[in-house]
Structure formats: structure tokens, C-alpha cells
Amino acid sequence: MKTVRLVLALLALMLIAPWQSARAADVICYNCPPEWADWASMLKAIKADLNYDIPHDNKNSGQALAQILAEKSNPVGDIGYFGVTFGMKAKAQDALEPYKPAHWDQVPAGLKDADGYWTTIHSGTLGLFVNKDALGGKPVPACWKDLLKPDYKGMVGYLDPSSAAVGYVGAVAVNLALGGSPGNFDPAISFFKELRKNDPIVPKQTSYARVVSGEMPILFDYDFNAYRAKYSEKGNFEFVIPCEGSVVFPYVVGLVKNAPDTEKAKKVMDYLLSDKGQAIWTNAYLRPARPIELPASVKGKFLPDSDYARAKSVDWGEMENVQKAFVDRYLAEVR
């Protein structure tokens, strides 16, 4: 009998322990991974300036939203960080509550929810993050269609567009660049079908380390990750904005509805949009949400403006409306 009671007690502790461990932190931010957008530096700065502990969290946007929804009756997370389309979904599914952080008025209207349910903190330009040393002497691809060549078989990676925000952004970029529209995803579906013949790698999580290691020589990714590798890692890395064109994508934060630590979470969101917070993003090669000029030392490390002219802003509200239709087709016809 004692043995049974001991086993039951241990099972109870196992169920309770993860929740207790999570709440030992000051603020829980879902989808704040250290290898993405240099959240590692941001969370260190928050600890230094606010004395708040925020644990690393290696989810993607879809997984973060799914967990917030699963915990709706008893929230654990305080802040969600999402690609903008998932921020819109979070609002639509009543997962967030409105909060307008300090300096919210300086964020352009197209980069925030009018009622404050989500607010952009930075943006990135999608392209190709390339480990030149891992190409085995092959040229750096210059265009989306180059990736379909047999030379790059087994070398191309993209995040799962049915789950990760960057995966869907990649699909939108390819689709628009190859002549598609929000109502016509045929070019993207055709492209991914052809790419499948080249044995692409399709992870669900951010894969920065896999590119740096050479395991994944080419990845659909943002400029900020490629520049981080180029200027801070050993090896030869390049960022390419494909010749056919690409897109710019905002990343947003929102306050979880009925968050356990609402007041601390608000102070963290204020910090993300503060002068210092926005400067930290620029040091990580991200475009700040507020109209702050990139420091000359940072801007000089970006591709020329003539390359960035190929990257367009799009109506992500419209793209969110057609996302499910694309995902359904992708799952049925590609995966």
C-alpha cells in the first residue's frame, strides 16, 4: 500500500512540477527562442534593467497560439510573440487582451491592431540564408527557381508552412514572386511540388544552428538570422533576396488574456518598444517597428538598398484570410 501511495505521489509531483517551474519565472513569453531574432540578448537586457527572469521558449508561432488556447481556462503564459498573421488569429480566437505599450503611437498604423491586441516590435525581409562552405563548390543560388536544380538536391530547407509563421511567409514570397496572388496560390503549390523532388528538409522549428553547422546549406529565412551568422559565426554565410522578389514581414507581441502576471508583462512590452529595446533589435539586424534609423555601423552590413527594393510590403490581413486555404492545399498536394 505504501508503494502505491508513493507512486501516486510521484505522479502528482510530475504533473505539478512543470507548471511550478514555469511560474517560478517572473514573466512567461511563449515563442521567445534564443536563436531567433537574438531574443537571448533581449532577455538578458530585460533581466539587467527590469530584474525579470523570462525563460527561453523554443516554440513557433502556431505552437505558441495552440498552447495559449489550450490553457485558456487557466493561463500560464503572459506574452505571445507571433508572426503577424498568428497575432491576428490570436485576437480572433479571443486569446489576447488589449494593451498599448509605451510609444505605441509611434508604430505605423499598418503595423498594429487599432485596439492594441497586437503590436509589431520588429520586422525582417525573407530570403535565402546560405552556408557557402556547405555548398560543395556549387554557386550561391540567386533566384527561387535555382533551388529546383538537381545541383541543390538535399540542400534546401524551409520551415513547415502549415505551422511556422516563417514557413507561410516563404510560401507567400514564392507565390507573389512567381506571379501568384492572394486568390491564386498555384505558383507556390507548383514550386513546392517541384522542390519536393529535390528532397528538401522541412523542420517545424527555427533552424539557425543547422545552417551554421552545414547540415542545411540553404534555408528560407530572414535577413537578420543570415547577418547574425555572417558577422558572428565562423564560416562563410550569405543572405540572398531572390531575383524574382520577396516580402517584408512583421513580428508582433500580444498580452495573453487573463495572464497570471499582467503588470509585469506590460512592463516587458513597454521595454520591447522603448528606445533601448528597439536599439537592441537593430543590433540584431532587425528593422525596428518605430521609425528609428538604423545605425550606420549596422546599415553598412545589410545588402544594398537596390537589393531590398525587390522585397515588397503586403497586406498581411488579406494574407491571413487566405492562409487556411493555402495550408489545406499544401497538406493535400505537397506534404
Side-chain angles (χ1 to χ4, degrees):
M1 191 65 184
K2 287 183 179 178
T3 302
V4 172
R5 283 201 299 268
L6 178 60
V7 169
L8 290 173
L10 287 171
L11 286 171
L13 284 171
M14 288 172 67
L15 290 171
I16 294 168
W19 187 89
Q20 288 179 328
S21 173
R23 291 315 322 168
D26 293 293
V27 175
I28 300 295
C29 178
Y30 284 155
N31 186 27
C32 293
E35 289 188 348
W36 178 265
D38 199 17
W39 270 103
S41 292
M42 181 60 76
L43 298 184
K44 284 180 184 176
I46 289 170
K47 173 63 176 176
D49 293 339
L50 300 182
N51 199 29
Y52 291 168
D53 285 307
I54 303 178
H56 295 161
D57 186 76
N58 286 303
K59 294 180 181 63
N60 63 35
S61 295
Q63 292 165 340
L65 177 55
Q67 184 152 355
I68 291 169
L69 292 172
E71 296 168 351
K72 211 169 181 181
S73 62
N74 188 23
V76 175
D78 301 296
I79 295 171
Y81 167 72
F82 314 99
V84 65
T85 54
F86 282 91
M88 294 173 182
K89 292 178 192 299
K91 177 190 176 182
Q93 295 183 65
D94 196 31
L96 305 176
E97 60 184 70
Y99 176 63
K100 298 177 180 179
H103 302 296
W104 183 89
D105 58 321
Q106 295 180 26
V107 177
L111 297 180
K112 62 190 177 186
D113 176 73
D115 298 315
Y117 282 89
W118 52 263
T119 305
T120 297
I121 53 174
H122 55 228
S123 63
T125 296
L126 192 101
L128 303 177
F129 172 16
V130 182
N131 183 330
K132 294 167 69 174
D133 295 332
L135 291 178
K138 298 177 179 64
V140 173
C143 305
W144 292 116
K145 288 186 177 179
D146 286 345
L147 305 179
L148 304 178
K149 296 176 181 177
D151 284 355
Y152 300 107
K153 190 177 183 71
M155 291 187 169
V156 180
Y158 65 91
L159 267 66
D160 183 349
S162 70
S163 176
V166 64
Y168 181 56
V169 176
V172 169
V174 167
N175 191 57
L176 297 179
L178 299 184
S181 69
N184 174 23
F185 268 94
D186 288 349
I189 294 296
S190 296
F191 175 86
F192 286 114
K193 281 182 178 178
E194 286 299 308
L195 187 59
R196 189 173 182 182
K197 297 175 185 177
N198 246 3
D199 296 334
I201 306 163
V202 190
K204 291 184 179 292
Q205 310 295 130
T206 180
S207 297
Y208 176 88
R210 295 174 72 178
V211 181
V212 171
S213 72
E215 176 191 348
M216 192 184 297
I218 304 164
L219 177 66
F220 292 27
D221 206 349
Y222 293 108
D223 49 357
F224 52 83
N225 280 329
Y227 295 141
R228 174 187 167 199
K230 183 172 183 175
Y231 298 114
S232 66
E233 304 284 0
K234 292 181 180 178
N236 293 298
F237 303 95
E238 202 64 64
F239 178 66
V240 176
I241 299 176
C243 68
E244 303 97 336
S246 190
V247 297
V248 177
F249 189 68
Y251 276 81
V252 308
V253 290
L255 181 64
V256 174
K257 188 173 184 179
N258 300 318
D261 281 311
T262 298
E263 293 310 309
K264 288 181 180 178
K266 288 178 177 179
K267 289 180 181 177
V268 170
M269 292 171 67
D270 291 346
Y271 189 90
L272 299 177
L273 276 184
S274 69
D275 290 347
K276 185 169 184 179
Q278 293 282 281
I280 290 171
W281 297 132
T282 70
N283 290 334
Y285 311 108
L286 291 130
R287 301 281 179 171
R290 290 170 54 206
I292 295 172
E293 284 293 319
L294 290 175
S297 59
V298 173
K299 187 172 176 58
K301 295 180 178 180
F302 279 62
L303 289 176
D305 289 343
S306 56
D307 282 12
Y308 275 95
R310 296 196 296 275
K312 308 300 183 184
S313 295
V314 301
D315 182 343
W316 288 106
E318 184 178 28
M319 291 302 176
E320 196 276 334
N321 290 335
V322 299
Q323 184 172 4
K324 184 180 185 302
F326 165 75
V327 168
D328 289 346
R329 282 195 67 187
Y330 176 85
L331 293 174
E333 300 179 42
V334 180
R335 196 164 80 178

